[in-house]
Amino acid sequence: MEICKLQNVSKSYMMGEKVSPLQNINLVVNTGDFISIEGSSGIGKSTLLYVMGSLLKIDEGKLYLDNKDVNSLTDQQLTNLRAEKIGFIFQENNLIQALTLQENLEFAQALGKKRITDSQEIVTLMERLGLLERKDYLPNQLSGGQRRRAMIARALINHPSLILADEPTNDLDDFWANEIVQLFVEAINKGCAVVIVTHNNKWAAEATVQYRLKYGKLALLDK
Ligand SMILES: Nc1ncnc2c1ncn2[C@@H]1O[C@H](COP(=O)(O)OP(=O)(O)OP(=O)(O)O)[C@@H](O)[C@H]1O
Ligand SMILES: [Mg+2]
């Protein structure tokens, strides 16, 4: 099932000089896909992920999420679609700083498709991610790796159809990076699609389809 499609998508930034990180990009993400996108720093990987999650407006082309042209949706419909279908792992910490780890996860759950809080599910996920002992800590009382895992937990808690992960293994040692990849594979086996953006080819190689972003274009890498 097609969950995300980019058709001739272009995106530029105008800040004095014009920067065009995405130029006529075509990409289809189907249920069961594990896609990695590599590329050097500043090339446009985060921009691409933001565009895929409809968090950034595109200049040209079309974005389809869950087979819907996002341009045909109202803001409310798009908000609901994102909340119900997409788990976004941001490159920078954007947990809610005034809420504890557990409260951050409860809040995310309350916004999800079931609109309920299931503390048992939160406990299970925190345990899996080695966070249970830190459940009452505020984000700034966590280590960098714990915060990264907390953001991953937040993205997984509502069982999204599409996980968009921006450098998810940053701040993690090999043990935890490997655990995260395993969690993604489990989600894929349950009917999710995962797109990870990374500059680390070790973890990119875990994906079944690898792309490289360079000079505005996506190129398929041979496995
Ligand atoms: N809001 C913005 N306004 C202007 N330029 C921007 C904006 N966001 C990103 N850029 C520029 O677009 C380019 C791509 O940025 P992006 O964050 O997508 O790169 P990246 O590949 O994710 O880099 P990194 O690996 O360092 O995270 C950069 O040159 C950056 O300066
Ligand atoms: Mg980035």
Side-chain angles (χ1 to χ4, degrees):
M1 214 170 66
E2 188 183 287
I3 180 75
C4 176
K5 180 163 76 177
L6 275 67
Q7 234 172 31
N8 295 318
V9 165
S10 297
K11 173 74 194 171
S12 298
Y13 296 111
M14 292 295 274
M15 283 279 289
E17 60 164 341
K18 186 175 174 187
V19 180
S20 305
L22 308 180
Q23 299 168 26
N24 280 303
I25 299 274
N26 288 291
L27 178 65
V28 177
V29 185
N30 290 306
T31 300
D33 281 350
F34 188 178
I35 294 175
S36 70
I37 296 166
E38 294 164 68
S40 54
S41 179
I43 208 75
K45 304 181 299 298
S46 295
T47 302
L48 176 59
L49 221 53
Y50 272 96
V51 160
M52 292 175 78
S54 75
L55 296 172
L56 195 59
K57 282 223 155 33
I58 55 181
D59 303 329
E60 282 170 63
K62 282 200 181 291
L63 169 68
Y64 297 87
L65 285 174
D66 205 25
N67 285 304
K68 296 171 194 85
D69 180 347
V70 298
N71 265 331
S72 69
L73 302 177
T74 63
D75 281 353
Q76 190 58 54
Q77 285 170 326
L78 189 54
T79 301
N80 290 344
L81 190 153
R82 275 197 297 254
E84 292 170 9
K85 304 274 175 167
I86 302 181
F88 203 106
I89 298 161
F90 293 85
Q91 186 172 6
E92 306 295 337
N93 165 28
N94 71 342
L95 295 162
I96 300 173
Q97 304 305 315
L99 300 182
T100 64
L101 170 53
Q102 176 158 353
E103 289 165 346
N104 263 281
L105 295 178
E106 286 170 355
F107 185 67
Q109 249 184 353
L111 295 176
K113 59 186 158 231
K114 293 192 194 146
R115 305 271 195 282
I116 51 135
T117 306
D118 177 345
S119 29
Q120 190 48 51
E121 194 162 24
I122 291 178
V123 166
T124 306
L125 189 57
M126 283 195 294
E127 206 161 22
R128 178 76 196 271
L129 285 161
L131 293 168
L132 200 49
E133 287 170 8
R134 295 289 178 268
K135 70 184 175 61
D136 297 322
Y137 281 52
L138 295 168
N140 68 9
Q141 295 167 329
L142 299 174
S143 74
Q146 288 167 342
R147 267 195 298 273
R148 182 76 50 194
R149 282 179 268 145
M151 288 199 284
I152 293 166
R154 183 180 59 179
L156 292 171
I157 194 72
N158 290 323
H159 308 284
S161 311
L162 174 64
I163 294 171
L164 299 172
D166 200 343
E167 307 276 6
T169 59
N170 275 10
D171 311 310
L172 298 181
D173 55 27
D174 275 8
F175 173 82
W176 281 112
N178 195 45
E179 280 291 303
I180 299 314
V181 171
Q182 290 316 310
L183 268 170
F184 289 162
V185 170
E186 285 168 29
I188 289 166
N189 290 338
K190 289 186 198 146
C192 182
V194 174
V195 181
I196 64 168
V197 146
T198 178
H199 56 252
N200 182 331
N201 14 30
K202 176 174 171 191
W203 301 113
E206 298 287 327
T208 45
V209 184
Q210 280 178 263
Y211 289 96
R212 174 168 291 277
L213 180 65
K214 206 173 176 181
Y215 308 130
K217 302 285 183 199
L218 267 185
L220 196 57
L221 298 183
D222 284 334
K223 287 285 283 184

